[in-house]
Amino acid sequence: MSVLTNPRAERVKAVRALGRRSARQRAGRFVVDGPQGVREVLRFAPGTVVEVYVEGSAQGRHGDLIDAARSANLPVHQCDTAVMSALVDTQHPQGIVAVCRPVDVPVADALAAADGFVVVLAHVRDPGNAGTVIRSADAAGARAVILSDASVDLYNPKVVRSTAGSLWHLPIALGGDVPGLIAACRARGRRVLAADGAGTTLLPAADLSGPHAWLMGNEAWGLDEEIRGLADDVVRVPIHGHAESLNLALAATVCMYASADRATS
Amino acid sequence: MSVLTNPRAERVKAVRALGRRSARQRAGRFVVDGPQGVREVLRFAPGTVVEVYVEGSAQGRHGDLIDAARSANLPVHQCDTAVMSALVDTQHPQGIVAVCRPVDVPVADALAAADGFVVVLAHVRDPGNAGTVIRSADAAGARAVILSDASVDLYNPKVVRSTAGSLWHLPIALGGDVPGLIAACRARGRRVLAADGAGTTLLPAADLSGPHAWLMGNEAWGLDEEIRGLADDVVRVPIHGHAESLNLALAATVCMYASADRATS
């Protein structure tokens, strides 16, 4: 296997460029950086992997992933440290990177399940929050996650990393204005529960018995009053101490686990 | 009011040095950076504030805080942008900083309440995780938080910021080895519940009826088998999808809200 050693090679620059949203959209590709993500995409969506780059010194450490990629007939490029550092904008590259195709599904597909709960993120901008909510949604057993228009890009490297592999574990749909998404959820028989500090229904009293959708607002300004008015109920996580609020990812996780608990109890 | 304009002044350097743990320990001081923290310390523990620095251009924005500090007879120093940038190692200083004394309490005081639940963080190293758990503990109504030995410093600027003001909302104790803290909790009539992915009791089935302590492990390696063996029960947050786990702050928050729910239902 030949080793890539030129960090200025066109193919290396093309991967590096995928750190920018415009380049991702133009190429229809994004980058998965590090063994956790590469493992999960190879396991759950190998057909979306275009190619894998592995640093020479990391080959032993990532032998299982290289084998998995080769078994899936994927090109595996060996590179040196300079090329790995040029491929991704990470402080501590972990020696393996995959270039992948998007995995998002149409909203209708995300709403195909008739039971349980889904999560709609309305205008969530922070990459870490969005990724963490996807990870929690996976853990809590959500049927799908939908990111509205004006949300952070799902394929932003920080979002991908924060999902800890959950990006490939459940259907994720992108786009659509929030009122339209609320209507779509309701048309599929889901009650829409807006999670917001302005809610008058406390979470333990919320009706989580039937199919429902959790609507989570932006991390800084929550959900507009108009949007809250479109929901079937506005639910608040009780704050027992002096804290002003929980952050978005924590509030979403507490809400989703309440749904999961109610479903299994 | 005279305006501080020399970023190399000794007093400015002394505040800046408080970014380091050794300097904090030597001085018995730490820095609270930004209006949210300054507001909460002035409200809940004004006696621990030593002095306040405010940037000239931010005076209008922070008028209520300046008034509160002056009402508490605290020195308020006006400074220019260069001095504010020199005071704290923050990318976007928010124009107000307080130098404060520690607020941690002895372990015995943190265990003074006889009811509800407390949280023990065992060897938690990540500042964001530690701060976020303190914020969640506040929100979920924990009676206290205890950080074991070999944990991140409570007064690390990132911990302080991540608590979002909760640092001053509930008793927080520092230090002590984990077996000793488990014994101390039990001596005060608390069942000790270790939260760990290796647990065999699922969270919805855990006995949260009496006074208890949640023991949360390190973000990377969890709790040692030996430590788990000292707990009264080892409890696992159910993972419904394909996610490997929840991160520490999320798992802790789900556990604490289960305690809060059980207490109020």
Side-chain angles (χ1 to χ4, degrees), chain B residues 3-14:
Chain B
V3 178
L4 305 175
T5 57
N6 179 8
R8 288 187 199 80
E10 285 306 319
R11 74 178 314 148
V12 175
K13 284 193 208 160

Side-chain angles (χ1 to χ4, degrees), chain A residues 172-186:
Chain A
I172 304 179
L174 301 181
D177 60 297
V178 179
L181 292 173
I182 292 173
C185 288
R186 211 179 272 131

Side-chain angles (χ1 to χ4, degrees), chain A residues 62-83:
Chain A
H62 300 318
D64 55 331
L65 299 179
I66 297 169
D67 290 348
R70 293 213 175 109
S71 304
N73 289 316
L74 293 167
V76 177
H77 310 291
Q78 202 186 322
C79 65
D80 66 9
T81 306
V83 168

Side-chain angles (χ1 to χ4, degrees), chain A residues 35-60:
Chain A
Q36 186 179 39
V38 173
R39 177 172 295 113
E40 297 308 294
V41 69
L42 285 172
R43 187 168 158 213
F44 285 89
T48 67
V49 182
V50 177
E51 55 184 5
V52 173
Y53 291 84
V54 62
E55 193 180 330
S57 61
Q59 278 197 291

Side-chain angles (χ1 to χ4, degrees), chain B residues 60-148:
Chain B
R61 208 160 77 233
H62 301 317
D64 56 330
L65 299 179
I66 297 169
D67 290 348
R70 291 212 176 108
S71 304
N73 288 318
L74 293 167
V76 177
H77 310 291
Q78 203 187 321
C79 64
D80 66 8
T81 305
V83 168
M84 182 51 70
S85 299
L87 284 169
V88 287
D89 184 20
T90 318
Q91 263 195 314
H92 306 287
Q94 294 176 272
I96 192 160
V97 157
V99 176
C100 300
R101 278 186 289 268
V103 284
D104 55 279
V105 302
V107 171
D109 290 8
L111 293 176
D115 63 342
F117 67 96
V118 300
V119 184
V120 178
L121 297 179
H123 309 156
V124 171
R125 300 278 170 87
D126 178 76
N129 269 326
T132 303
V133 172
I134 291 169
R135 178 180 176 181
S136 289
D138 179 16
R143 297 292 181 257
V145 176
I146 305 173
L147 274 68
S148 80

Side-chain angles (χ1 to χ4, degrees), chain A residues 138-139 238 240-243 245 257, chain B residues 135 138-139 238 240-243 245 257:
Chain A
D138 179 17
H240 300 278
H242 299 290
S245 65
Y257 264 94
Chain B
R135 178 180 176 181
D138 179 16
H240 300 277
H242 299 291
S245 64
Y257 264 94

